[in-house]
Amino acid sequence: MNWNVYLSGEIHSDWRQQIIDGAKERNLPVIFTSAVTNHEASDAAGDVLGAETDSFWRDHKSSKVNGIRTKTYLDKCDVAIVRFGDKYKQWNAAFDAGYCAGVGKPYITLHDEDIIHPLKEVDAAAMAWAKTPEQVVEILDYVTRAR
Amino acid sequence: MNWNVYLSGEIHSDWRQQIIDGAKERNLPVIFTSAVTNHEASDAAGDVLGAETDSFWRDHKSSKVNGIRTKTYLDKCDVAIVRFGDKYKQWNAAFDAGYCAGVGKPYITLHDEDIIHPLKEVDAAAMAWAKTPEQVVEILDYVTRAR
Amino acid sequence: MNWNVYLSGEIHSDWRQQIIDGAKERNLPVIFTSAVTNHEASDAAGDVLGAETDSFWRDHKSSKVNGIRTKTYLDKCDVAIVRFGDKYKQWNAAFDAGYCAGVGKPYITLHDEDIIHPLKEVDAAAMAWAKTPEQVVEILDYVTRAR
Amino acid sequence: MNWNVYLSGEIHSDWRQQIIDGAKERNLPVIFTSAVTNHEASDAAGDVLGAETDSFWRDHKSSKVNGIRTKTYLDKCDVAIVRFGDKYKQWNAAFDAGYCAGVGKPYITLHDEDIIHPLKEVDAAAMAWAKTPEQVVEILDYVTRAR
Amino acid sequence: MNWNVYLSGEIHSDWRQQIIDGAKERNLPVIFTSAVTNHEASDAAGDVLGAETDSFWRDHKSSKVNGIRTKTYLDKCDVAIVRFGDKYKQWNAAFDAGYCAGVGKPYITLHDEDIIHPLKEVDAAAMAWAKTPEQVVEILDYVTRAR
Amino acid sequence: MNWNVYLSGEIHSDWRQQIIDGAKERNLPVIFTSAVTNHEASDAAGDVLGAETDSFWRDHKSSKVNGIRTKTYLDKCDVAIVRFGDKYKQWNAAFDAGYCAGVGKPYITLHDEDIIHPLKEVDAAAMAWAKTPEQVVEILDYVTRAR
Amino acid sequence: MNWNVYLSGEIHSDWRQQIIDGAKERNLPVIFTSAVTNHEASDAAGDVLGAETDSFWRDHKSSKVNGIRTKTYLDKCDVAIVRFGDKYKQWNAAFDAGYCAGVGKPYITLHDEDIIHPLKEVDAAAMAWAKTPEQVVEILDYVTRAR
Amino acid sequence: MNWNVYLSGEIHSDWRQQIIDGAKERNLPVIFTSAVTNHEASDAAGDVLGAETDSFWRDHKSSKVNGIRTKTYLDKCDVAIVRFGDKYKQWNAAFDAGYCAGVGKPYITLHDEDIIHPLKEVDAAAMAWAKTPEQVVEILDYVTRAR
């Protein structure tokens, strides 16, 4: 069987690519999905439906369009990787983790040691906490191929 | 019928009390629940089960004990109010919102205008966005008593 | 046991009151809930959260606030009565019927004979079709009290 | 992955074909399903099971046969497009939208600006509102292929 | 806690009354519900909605009205007792048992030894098979009061 | 898409083969599943696990083994055909229909006119009632291929 | 609100009573339920339905009768306490824990340190691990009454 | 269709291989999944995420990593085989059985006669009890291929 792995969270470093490359090198039976990671494209996702003058509604409209994709991929994935970086609020990553908890989908967090405390509720409902993309690849290798 | 309303998020301002007081003044048919909001007590929730030397596991243990309460109250509430303040990461608030989305529970966000953009995914799945506790009380009044 | 009955749809005739009065006269073990039926109040439900210049977003905001109430009452009811009158589009009534079908909640439609054809999909998923409020009361009487 | 998209609603204009053609031109990974859109065939769906003299029961029988198809396709789709035109009651379209809301399936509405107000509850639970088939194609393109 | 017990099946002997009396004598914390057991009333449940000339549709209409009650009571019960007598087809009893299996509701069958073989699938999904109403009362006593 | 159709009920006439042949002739996109229809094999399904002296337990054991298959196929099917013949009790057919109703799976009944009354509850929850295998094939053709 | 707490597992020490007494002393808003803890009564739960010569079927019958109670109480509880002692296999305790995990019900394990390793999968899905009944009472106190 | 069969429990005898070989010999349409059965690898599953000094947390971390795999395979399987040997506690096997019961997944137990009594609750919720791997293969053959 192929495993569907959803990559959620931070879009300002290349952690997704590192995991994808690592999985490819090891030839893991894994298919990756993700939100749209182009920041500008993501913010403008709803613009095609008509311009908004109020920034709240522009964000609202784009987020709902993006939600069609993220909800579908989250619902179909076998496990999600939720990444928290050192910048920005990243509430969407925590939201995705909560969504996973709500629907009973296992997820792995990926973050540095210095944000353990504010992430304690998110980590408490996770199946694992990784510090590096390489660790995530190791776990995916073990979970999908060990005997 | 009495409405169960869960108050999630920020614990450094008195927004919970303002909502509770407002609802009491108007005699709304509402019962409020909440996570433990005493920060020290919450961080120490698991200590009674044995001390931990590693702070990750202390947080982990306490968060799981707190999770017994928060998951139960969230599952039983009719609507959640999720508050984001201007300090700290507040990933647990976003996590609660995501959990609500996952189990199909309506929620209202409560936050200032300056964090609209980072909260766009959380707001997009919410039923309403309020800027003040008084607005939340107004909405609760309308939802539970209008005819 | 008390039965929770949700009254959905048309707000321009007194069908709700007729059913409520009929149930009261017979002393049926029934509790009624409903959306807010004051048209102006309902359209303005979200105004307290801030004025909107764009009518789409005003409607959107108010409808979501109303949705907190309607979804909660629908989820808690034992049976819904969905009324279609001879005026207006009444898509919200058909929407409520579809919602009931989606969550497996039994509902009864209430409408005249001349709109049988356009309502055929809505009637096909209903447990009964009544033509008068009195018939609804009779059914509620039978369902809750016959032996 | 291929996306399953259900096309619900109006059958008197060629909006379905426009979306299907647009998706084909762009080579989108999308599979479309739909109710039977031949009006006469749809009305007669149950006739093979025996003629009915009462038009209510003929409609009832045909609608249930059609319901085998529509429920199955709705349950299997990833996203539904729900179209409201300017003629007829189209309660079945609103019913499908409500069904989607009930089972947690994302949907996009497609309608002109002049029916915003009567569709406010339907739009409030939608992930997007499009005014043209071309906009729907754009959204499908973004959701299924953006990176 | 009070236990809700649904009594399904045969209406031509007094097994329901025997169980209700037995439970009352022992003062068990049990509340009983049931379909309407007056045969004529049950067959005529839908007549108030208009006469039918075709007996299939008369049955259909009445069965759906009865279904509002039976589905609601089955969904709310903690355990169902499903009785099969020696006369008639009693497919509705087997249907109720299957419904219980579908929604994960425990049920006890009540029938004589001579119909073990045709009831084997129904018994296989049951939690117990009783031969007499007295045995059912004994089981209810044990389940609700033993320590 | 291929449709999975479960054929439940009577095993003493060739209705299954007629439907399968009819679907093949029309080249319908349909895959059929069924319980084991060899009566002796079905009754002996559990014998390999050890002989039983008590016929109740032999039936019980075999029915549970058969249940692994029937539950799995019912859970995976898109629509079930439930056949009632003129002989035997056929409670397992009614049980399967109830199971479908419990899990929200559409089903079609197949039976003669003379057993309408005892099957009224089973028919009331069905999507259609057919009198002949040919009618079932017609419905499957329409549902899976009409446009 | 009152919390429903299910006490699962070992029946050879007085841990249940210690927790119940501790909760009573502190006047906690907690209601306790449990399987029948009288070993002989529990083993004989099905005897009233007829004697069995084969011990497997006697156990089977009694376990199913007990299952009516345990499944109902587990489904209704807010949190379960699952106790593992130092004697016997106690597979039923591990089964209850697995059931909780399957339906998303939080549970706390209660066991000594020397069986950490064989219980690792059970503990991994638990919300907390307590070593003494007193610790369980402390956690219940915190969860139900802290502010 | 291919059947997914999850093999749970004892890792100290070759029962898995016997079942897999038996199924291969008969060319059954069955795909097997399993937890990682290399004891050392399984205990060390979480080590890649960082060493732990406390054995409870090492076990916890590894069990959660293993849980990503076991939960996913259990959720995807059509039927589970749960094996209990004569050594060790094997609480994880009973936990898997309970999980299956919680999510409504059929399972077959595989164990010797001398542990019938302590396994009575686990067997009571099972679809079959086998004593040898060969019997399991026979059942799989019957369930997947009989006609």
Side-chain angles (χ1 to χ4, degrees), chain C residues 28-41:
Chain C
L28 301 186
V30 171
I31 293 165
F32 294 100
T33 53
S34 175
V36 172
T37 55
N38 177 319
H39 200 161
E40 287 71 36

Side-chain angles (χ1 to χ4, degrees), chain H residues 60-128:
Chain H
H60 196 74
K61 207 151 77 167
S62 289
S63 293
K64 292 210 149 196
V65 168
N66 283 313
I68 298 173
R69 174 171 168 138
T70 54
K71 177 181 158 48
T72 300
Y73 281 154
L74 274 172
D75 285 348
K76 284 185 193 294
C77 82
D78 297 304
V79 58
I81 315 299
V82 188
R83 162 73 184 163
F84 294 86
D86 54 1
K87 275 186 281 195
Y88 308 101
K89 292 297 193 181
Q90 307 176 77
W91 283 318
N92 60 322
F95 180 85
D96 282 356
Y99 184 88
C100 286
V103 299
K105 190 79 68 181
Y107 66 91
I108 299 168
T109 57
L110 172 60
H111 61 83
D112 288 343
E113 212 153 334
D114 58 341
I115 47 178
I116 281 178
H117 194 63
L119 276 172
K120 61 186 180 300
E121 288 88 0
V122 178
D123 281 340
M127 297 303 273

Side-chain angles (χ1 to χ4, degrees), chain C residues 7-22:
Chain C
L7 304 172
S8 166
E10 194 209 9
I11 59 173
H12 302 94
S13 74
D14 68 342
W15 68 275
R16 277 185 184 78
Q17 202 52 49
Q18 288 186 51
I19 291 176
I20 293 169
D21 290 348

Side-chain angles (χ1 to χ4, degrees), chain F residues 14-32:
Chain F
D14 68 342
W15 68 275
R16 276 186 184 79
Q17 202 53 47
Q18 288 184 51
I19 291 175
I20 293 169
D21 290 349
K24 198 181 239 168
E25 263 170 49
R26 292 165 187 243
N27 207 20
L28 301 186
V30 170
I31 294 164
F32 294 101

Side-chain angles (χ1 to χ4, degrees), chain E residues 115-136:
Chain E
I115 46 176
I116 281 178
H117 194 63
L119 276 172
K120 60 186 181 299
E121 289 87 2
V122 178
D123 281 339
M127 297 304 274
W129 160 45
K131 272 163 274 184
T132 67
E134 175 62 17
Q135 285 177 330
V136 172

Side-chain angles (χ1 to χ4, degrees), chain B residues 78 104 127 135 142 146-147, chain C residues 36 48 64 66 69 71 76:
Chain B
D78 298 304
M127 296 303 273
Q135 286 178 329
Y142 174 82
R147 291 187 154 255
Chain C
V36 172
V48 67
K64 292 208 150 197
N66 283 313
R69 173 169 168 139
K71 177 180 158 48
K76 285 186 193 294

